[in-house]
Amino acid sequence: MTQSDRATPNAEFDVVVVGAGFAGLYMLHRLRALGLSARVYEAGIGVGGTWFWNRYPGARCDVESMQYSYSFSEELQQEWVWTERYPKQAEILRYIDHVADRFDLRRDIQLQTRVTSAHHDATTDQWRIATDQGDLVVARFCVMASGALSAARTPDIPGLETFQGRQYHTGDWPRETVDFTGQRVGVIGTGSSGIQAIPHIAKQAQHLTVFQRTPNFSIPAWNGPLSTERQEAWKADYAGHRARARTTRSGILYEYSQRGALDVSDEERRCVFEARWARGGANFTHAFNDLFINKASNDHAAEFVRERIREIVQDPAVAAMLSPTNHPIGTKRICVDTDYFETFNCSNVALVDVRANPIEAITPTGIRTTDAEYKLDSIVFATGYDAVTGALGRIDIRGDNGLALKDKWTDGPQTYLGIMTAGFPNLFMITGPGSPSVLTNVIVSIEQHVDWIANCLAYLRERGLARISADARAETDWVAEVNAVADRTLFPQAASWYMGANIPGKPRVFLPYVGGFGRYNEICAEVVAEGYRGFCLE
Ligand code: N01
């Protein structure tokens, strides 16, 4: 028992929500409608979660604007006007701020407050939640809306603290303008964040060195203004589009092919890939319906992209370095870029292969690899996140008998449907491990989870019940299902953050449910229709 377990709480709520990003805001809105009292804690000085912190140059969503937005309010989706095919970070943050004001959400959100612990008290059947600002509150229910890509990670490189220049992480970018003009800049990391930031930094910096460990597949975004006609056509049937999106694998309306890549001639396959490349975006990986399950089919798509890289990048040695060969296309998150490969034709940009010659240390003046020393004024870490479980791991969460979540999850996360974990009653997760989350349009996943949780709370109240917990047996079966579905795909062949592979010591388990959003949504509905099958209600 800790000191906070004995202290007298300052306040009591029906529900505490951790995080005021897309998930926390919509959760609060639904809780209000149920007449429940709620407090949302948010570490940032503003709402927006991941989109509040990710202010790096070029930050933009790779799901199209018309789809990357809430569907819960017809008025909101009709009235909001997006300006580009893919929304930039500032526009998304404006949208989130608009939502917070429009639905009067701010009065229940406490900013600049990080939840440090959440302990379940068996005697009162309440969660005791403590923050870094000294709050100690109790609530019957606790909802973790803390995000799947919110725990930014800087690798433990020796000498990190000795660097005399400026350091930045893409996932924790300063609010003030960063100007790289005249500087020698190093970027470590070539995932979605690095691939977006690099072309922008290259335009400003006197010299840019990109430290690449794994080359990534990237498809051009062909971003541009969103025409009024296109926007109005979409809005004419917004509800229909949303409903159709919810039946798909990714919760996104792509053109999902019904054919395998080996079912067509070489010429036809090439035409299909060319058309997809010309349209741009992640739609490319749905050019055939077997790219995620058939290596031979995947090889065709991968080789097509490598050919494009060789076409774009003038120096054949640099093109070879930028060409991914160690994982099937799509098994690390596909990137969507604007002028990424083209940037390596600029005379002020150099590419360094840190797989061949790893980074040994950060020095006071730059980065030292095993074969060279690079003098830098600024270093940008585009090194990603402790994904899916990281934000939960930073909170001391304890359930029945004081069991710590991090101890329960030593060998990998165990959840039932990614919504609850056995032994932690009345604790919900939004887009938790074992749910489709990061493999989908995350707003579609968020809305589905929030609706499920809100409906569950209403169900409990109508029946005079106070407690819901996941059944351990149902959880074991779900974890087995999550693994089995992943094993039928090519995803486990990549050392990706989906597998926890980017964090030294993190268990290698496939974190999201890859069976598709549509199927997952059906399963969640079936569970409810069968009286919350696999949950214990008391
Ligand atoms: O992070 P990442 P991210 N030395 O983990 C490298 C979403 N997102 O922030 O691959 C050298 O993908 C690491 O190398 P390797 C999206 O879901 C979306 O870019 O591990 N290099 C990799 O290249 C995305 O997938 C959008 O070998 C090191 C990079 O750092 C997710 O967020 C935009 C290293 C990290 O890539 C995460 O993307 C941005 C080391 N010690 C993000 N440690 C859009 O919607 C790590 N790396 C467009």
Side-chain angles (χ1 to χ4, degrees):
M1 185 176 276
T2 65
Q3 210 172 2
S4 75
D5 291 335
R6 285 188 295 268
T8 309
N10 332 112
E12 179 169 353
F13 302 97
D14 293 318
V15 189
V16 159
V17 179
V18 182
F22 270 109
L25 293 181
Y26 181 44
M27 189 75 247
L28 175 59
H29 180 64
R30 287 297 316 262
L31 294 171
R32 288 254 188 89
L34 289 172
L36 294 170
S37 64
R39 166 66 50 88
V40 180
Y41 291 111
E42 165 56 50
I45 61 165
V47 299
T50 290
W51 291 109
F52 177 84
W53 302 106
N54 275 264
R55 295 160 186 267
Y56 60 85
R60 188 181 286 286
C61 185
D62 57 13
V63 177
E64 297 192 17
S65 301
M66 296 310 288
Q67 304 203 51
Y68 196 78
S69 50
Y70 288 121
S71 71
F72 70 83
S73 161
E74 181 61 15
E75 294 75 27
L76 171 67
Q77 66 183 4
Q78 287 297 334
E79 288 169 25
W80 184 264
V81 177
W82 294 102
T83 63
E84 291 177 274
R85 177 177 175 183
Y86 298 96
K88 64 156 84 88
Q89 177 269 341
E91 188 165 16
I92 298 172
L93 196 56
R94 252 198 322 277
Y95 170 78
I96 296 174
D97 273 317
H98 169 79
V99 169
D101 291 333
R102 183 179 185 125
F103 297 97
D104 186 24
L105 299 175
R106 296 187 197 271
R107 65 188 151 89
D108 289 323
I109 301 171
Q110 186 172 321
L111 299 173
Q112 285 184 279
T113 307
R114 189 175 282 282
V115 168
T116 50
S117 69
H119 293 182
H120 189 251
D121 180 342
T123 50
T124 59
D125 213 8
Q126 283 181 315
W127 283 91
R128 295 171 69 85
I129 289 132
T131 76
D132 65 355
Q133 299 303 309
D135 306 274
L136 174 64
V137 300
V138 290
R140 182 154 305 278
F141 301 98
C142 180
V143 180
M144 292 294 169
S146 41
L149 292 162
S150 49
R153 182 180 174 271
T154 303
D156 303 319
I157 302 174
L160 202 60
E161 65 298 337
T162 67
F163 183 57
Q164 303 285 298
R166 302 289 305 267
Q167 318 187 7
Y168 306 92
H169 191 293
T170 48
D172 188 9
W173 200 263
R175 297 186 78 213
E176 63 272 17
T177 307
V178 176
D179 187 356
F180 292 115
T181 305
Q183 293 193 19
R184 297 158 302 174
V185 182
V187 174
I188 305 178
T190 51
S192 300
S193 305
I195 280 178
Q196 286 187 327
I198 284 163
H200 287 261
I201 297 174
K203 282 195 193 117
Q204 252 185 19
Q206 178 214 322
H207 190 269
L208 170 65
T209 310
V210 176
F211 296 87
Q212 172 192 269
R213 190 164 65 184
T214 310
N216 248 316
F217 291 101
S218 189
I219 311 297
W222 308 128
N223 187 39
L226 189 58
S227 70
T228 310
E229 300 77 60
R230 175 150 171 70
Q231 198 149 181
E232 281 174 359
W234 192 275
K235 286 181 176 178
D237 185 25
Y238 226 143
H241 285 113
R242 302 286 200 188
R244 283 188 288 282
R246 282 191 279 269
T247 66
T248 67
R249 249 162 56 193
S250 57
I252 303 171
L253 282 177
Y254 290 129
E255 299 148 77
Y256 295 91
S257 170
Q258 302 306 320
R259 295 180 303 175
L262 307 181
D263 297 340
V264 300
S265 67
D266 290 351
E267 294 72 34
E268 187 172 357
R269 195 182 313 111
R270 167 163 287 278
C271 281
V272 170
F273 286 140
E274 272 167 3
R276 295 271 172 159
W277 182 271
R279 292 281 306 279
N283 194 24
F284 183 86
T285 53
H286 302 289
F288 294 99
N289 67 2
D290 58 351
L291 296 183
F292 289 98
I293 51 173
N294 183 331
K295 180 67 167 54
S297 297
N298 188 290
D299 285 343
H300 285 292
E303 187 50 28
F304 178 86
V305 175
R306 285 190 290 262
E307 278 174 24
R308 301 288 73 73
I309 297 172
R310 288 192 290 271
E311 246 170 38
I312 298 168
V313 180
Q314 287 153 6
D315 180 335
V318 176
M321 267 165 71
L322 287 167
S323 297
T325 50
N326 75 347
H327 62 278
I329 185 170
T331 56
K332 275 178 171 250
R333 170 64 135 64
I334 192 87
C335 299
V336 176
D337 72 276
T338 297
D339 294 340
Y340 174 64
F341 295 116
E342 289 81 350
T343 297
F344 292 90
N345 294 331
C346 300
S347 57
N348 67 330
V349 177
L351 181 64
V352 171
D353 180 352
V354 295
R355 171 91 52 201
N357 298 295
I359 296 174
E360 261 183 359
I362 309 276
T363 68
T365 53
I367 292 180
R368 189 172 73 236
T369 63
T370 50
D371 70 337
E373 185 132 12
Y374 299 87
K375 298 255 186 259
L376 301 168
D377 301 304
S378 291
I379 301 177
V380 173
F381 290 91
T383 45
Y385 298 86
D386 184 352
V388 185
T389 54
L392 295 170
R394 289 177 182 187
I395 304 171
D396 175 20
I397 302 173
R398 288 170 197 252
D400 290 342
N401 305 317
L403 175 66
L405 186 67
K406 68 172 177 355
D407 292 337
K408 178 179 172 184
W409 286 5
T410 315
D411 297 326
Q414 298 162 57
T415 72
Y416 182 38
L417 301 173
I419 298 177
M420 295 194 90
T421 183
F424 295 77
N426 292 349
L427 177 82
F428 297 98
M429 290 167 281
I430 299 178
T431 64
S435 78
S437 66
V438 289
L439 296 173
T440 65
N441 175 350
V442 80
I443 302 183
V444 173
S445 281
I446 284 169
E447 287 193 321
Q448 187 262 349
H449 268 186
V450 169
D451 287 340
W452 195 99
I453 294 166
N455 294 342
C456 172
L457 296 183
Y459 180 96
L460 294 175
R461 188 170 62 182
E462 279 157 22
R463 284 159 186 77
L465 300 166
R467 184 182 159 100
I468 177 168
S469 50
D471 174 66
R473 176 71 194 272
E475 176 167 290
T476 306
D477 291 349
W478 181 249
V479 171
E481 174 67 6
V482 169
N483 289 325
V485 179
D487 288 342
R488 290 199 287 272
T489 72
L490 303 176
F491 278 97
Q493 294 186 20
S496 67
W497 58 257
Y498 294 139
M499 298 286 296
N502 63 327
I503 307 288
K506 191 166 173 173
R508 294 275 181 117
V509 289
F510 196 74
L511 293 166
Y513 170 73
V514 72
F517 177 83
R519 176 66 196 126
Y520 173 82
N521 196 17
E522 283 169 8
I523 294 169
C524 290
E526 285 160 20
V527 162
V528 173
E530 292 173 31
Y532 288 87
R533 184 185 76 216
F535 289 97
C536 177
L537 278 54
E538 298 163 73

